[in-house]
Amino acid sequence: MATSYCDRKNNSAFNPELFAEAEKQFEALADTARNIPKGATPAYINPDGTPGYDFMALKLRSILLTIKKSMAVTGKGPDAYRNSVFQMTSNSTDTILRNKYRTYRELPGIRDLSEETGVDITEVLGAVQPLIPAFTHTSKGFPLDFFRKEDGSFYSLPGGHGQNFMVLRDTYRKLLAEGKKFVYLGNVDNIGFTVSPAEVAILALSERNASFDFSFKTPVDVKGGILVREKNGR
C-alpha cells in the first residue's frame, strides 16, 4: 500500500508469480481502499486477513506514546503538547481525512493514551495544498506543455514537499508562537517515520537549520529519490 497504493500494474510487475497467488486477496483489499486518501488506508493486514490500523492512526498513536514519555521526563502538562500534529492536505482529501480522524478517537490504542495524557491528538493543524498542472515529458520536446487528459482538461497533481513552506506558512508561525522550535516533516505512509529525541538533540546541538533521514531503495520502491553508493563506499 505504501508504495503502490492499489496499483495493479506495479504490484504485478514486481513479481508476477507472487501476484497471481495473492491476486484475489489483493483485489478484495484494493476495492476497499481505492479513492480513499492513503493515510486513511490500512498500514498492515492482520493474520486473519482483516485490515489493521490506518497509517494515520499508527502515526497518532506513536506521537501519543512519545508525549507520554516526554511528560514523565519533563513534568509538563497537556497544554504543552497541544497541536502536536500538522498536515498538508489537498482539496480532494481534506474533508475525508478530518471526518476520519474523529473515528480514531474511539480506537483503543488511541483513546486510552488520550485519556492518560489529556491530549486530543486528533485535533490536527494544517492547510490545503492547491493542485498544480503537470508538465509534459521532455521526450515530447520543448517548450514543455501542460499534460492533459483525453477530454482536454488539465491533469492536476499535488506539488512536491517543498510546497510545505508556502502552504503551511501560517501553521509554522502558530507553532513557533506557541514555543515549538523543531518540527518533523514526512510521509504518513512511512511507518518507520517516528519522532526520535536523539535526532532532535543532534539537530539542536549542531545548530543546523535542518536534518534529513535517508534510506536505500528496495526492489518494491518504484517512486521517489534514492541513495546511490559510489565505488569508494560513500
Side-chain angles (χ1 to χ4, degrees):
M1 184 69 73
T3 298
S4 52
Y5 189 52
C6 308
D7 188 320
R8 184 184 183 90
K9 179 180 178 182
N10 282 329
N11 278 286
S12 59
F14 168 63
N15 189 320
E17 294 79 13
L18 176 61
F19 184 80
E21 289 289 331
E23 185 172 6
K24 185 179 294 184
Q25 295 96 320
F26 172 84
E27 288 298 339
L29 291 166
D31 284 344
T32 65
R34 286 192 179 99
N35 301 318
I36 297 176
K38 191 181 291 187
T41 61
Y44 61 94
I45 305 301
N46 293 312
D48 64 359
T50 58
Y53 274 31
D54 297 349
F55 285 107
M56 190 62 181
L58 285 185
K59 200 67 61 184
L60 297 179
R61 174 173 165 75
S62 171
I63 294 170
L64 278 171
L65 287 169
T66 302
I67 288 174
K68 179 182 176 181
K69 292 178 182 177
S70 179
M71 284 180 165
V73 172
T74 65
K76 293 180 179 180
D79 287 343
Y81 301 94
R82 305 293 181 199
N83 300 322
S84 289
V85 186
F86 64 94
Q87 66 181 4
M88 184 168 66
T89 58
S90 71
N91 290 320
S92 62
T93 64
D94 190 72
T95 301
I96 297 174
L97 288 173
R98 294 193 181 281
N99 290 335
K100 186 72 173 178
Y101 295 163
R102 296 189 183 100
T103 69
Y104 293 154
R105 293 174 182 170
E106 300 307 314
L107 288 177
I110 293 178
R111 182 184 63 232
D112 298 348
L113 284 168
S114 292
E115 292 175 353
E116 189 174 352
T117 60
V119 177
D120 183 1
I121 202 71
T122 63
E123 291 293 335
V124 179
L125 288 178
V128 177
Q129 175 188 22
L131 298 180
I132 59 176
F135 282 112
T136 53
H137 194 271
T138 53
S139 62
K140 300 294 184 181
F142 293 92
L144 298 179
D145 194 5
F146 290 124
F147 189 83
R148 297 174 185 270
K149 302 177 185 178
E150 291 182 359
D151 62 5
S153 61
F154 291 117
Y155 190 84
S156 299
L157 297 167
H161 289 191
Q163 266 204 318
N164 84 91
F165 297 108
M166 175 184 69
V167 177
L168 296 174
R169 183 187 294 115
D170 291 340
T171 298
Y172 290 144
R173 286 174 173 165
K174 177 178 175 61
L175 293 173
L176 185 62
E178 292 177 352
K180 294 178 171 64
K181 301 293 173 54
F182 301 96
V183 296
Y184 266 86
L185 191 69
N187 291 333
V188 68
D189 57 324
N190 180 351
I191 58 175
F193 161 57
T194 56
V195 175
S196 166
E199 283 188 349
V200 177
I202 291 171
L203 176 60
L205 293 171
S206 66
E207 297 184 346
R208 302 285 183 174
N209 289 325
S211 65
F212 298 86
D213 277 353
F214 292 99
S215 62
F216 287 97
K217 193 167 186 175
T218 69
V220 294
D221 291 331
V222 296
K223 299 185 299 185
I226 62 170
L227 293 183
V228 178
R229 188 186 296 277
E230 298 178 327
K231 290 181 179 180
N232 61 8
R234 292 179 64 83

